[in-house]
Amino acid sequence: MPFDFLRRGKEQPVAGPQPELGGSSRGTKGIAFDGLTEDWRLIGTMLLEGRLSDVLNRREAIPLSDVSWAPIDGSAPFSPVPGLKSIDPYDLIVVLAGEGSLPPLSDEERAAHRVHKVNFQVVLEAPPFRVTGTVYLFPGADPERLMDRSTEMFVPVTDAVAMLGDNRLSDPAIDVILVNRSYLREVAQLDRPAGDRRPTR
């Protein structure tokens, strides 16, 4: 395995409060990891505590085990990478979030989410990938602002599909895809939320 094979030029983290994972290791669990870089697809087990999006947004190296990789274009099968023990979130463009990585919301949390956020159907261009799905933003926010610098490094997209050219990369069972905002090059809104009377452009 080439040394520093994933390392790219990184922009400095945005100052601001970051999500906390807590100090106890008792809540740490292994979950399936499926991440896409510019050239590679990596699968394995990620050790984390709390929500996957919170862990990624800490901008710290994430420990992995049982990692395998394959070229992103599918030109070769997955092969083990025993020397890869962690991943830098900056190298990840897209992370496919399985059900086990997203703790279920309570009825109260679901209700609060519906009340306080507005859903937008969008296409996110994060070359070489295209992600189509739904993002939830606070009222008055414009989806194009997702390209602005933010303390939130990854944006969750629900009912999402990840594509590489004409090839679908995400499994139909995957409902949420996390997209690294620093790789976004274009955000297109497919429709307007209910009740939005702003003129179309």
Side-chain angles (χ1 to χ4, degrees):
M1 179 179 68
F3 176 75
D4 235 10
F5 77 106
L6 289 174
R7 189 69 57 185
R8 294 167 55 88
K10 311 290 195 305
E11 62 180 59
Q12 292 300 313
V14 178
Q18 300 297 318
E20 295 296 331
L21 293 177
S24 171
S25 61
R26 288 179 296 179
T28 303
K29 60 179 179 179
I31 66 164
F33 171 79
D34 192 344
L36 311 179
T37 73
E38 188 172 4
D39 300 307
W40 301 94
R41 182 168 188 166
L42 298 99
I43 59 175
T45 300
M46 176 187 292
L47 299 178
L48 61 84
E49 181 180 348
R51 296 179 64 84
L52 174 58
S53 57
D54 290 345
V55 175
L56 292 168
N57 283 326
R58 284 174 61 88
R59 306 164 189 259
E60 299 175 358
I62 300 168
L64 299 173
S65 64
D66 304 319
V67 181
S68 295
W69 67 0
I72 197 65
D73 61 6
S75 59
F78 282 95
S79 59
V81 196
L84 184 59
K85 301 298 184 182
S86 66
I87 184 74
D88 187 335
Y90 283 92
D91 290 314
L92 297 168
I93 302 177
V94 168
V95 177
L96 309 177
E99 183 178 352
S101 68
L102 300 167
L105 297 176
S106 67
D107 291 340
E108 292 79 9
E109 289 173 322
R110 289 193 185 95
H113 196 266
R114 287 193 294 266
V115 168
H116 296 299
K117 290 194 174 182
V118 178
N119 64 301
F120 295 87
Q121 306 298 314
V122 296
V123 177
L124 305 182
E125 298 285 352
F129 310 112
R130 178 188 304 109
V131 176
T132 303
T134 304
V135 295
Y136 289 83
L137 304 174
F138 288 105
D142 190 308
E144 290 186 0
R145 299 300 299 272
L146 290 173
M147 297 178 63
D148 295 347
R149 290 170 59 88
S150 169
T151 55
E152 184 185 63
M153 186 177 181
F154 284 80
V155 58
V157 185
T158 63
D159 300 318
V161 176
M163 304 288 293
L164 176 66
D166 295 328
N167 298 321
R168 177 171 180 157
L169 299 176
S170 55
D171 190 286
I174 296 295
D175 181 62
V176 178
I177 294 176
L178 302 168
V179 180
N180 190 332
R181 295 173 61 163
S182 63
Y183 286 89
L184 285 177
R185 296 297 176 264
E186 183 178 352
V187 177
Q189 185 177 336
L190 296 180
D191 61 12
R192 293 174 297 175
D196 188 344
R197 297 179 179 275
R198 290 175 296 177
T200 56
R201 289 182 293 176

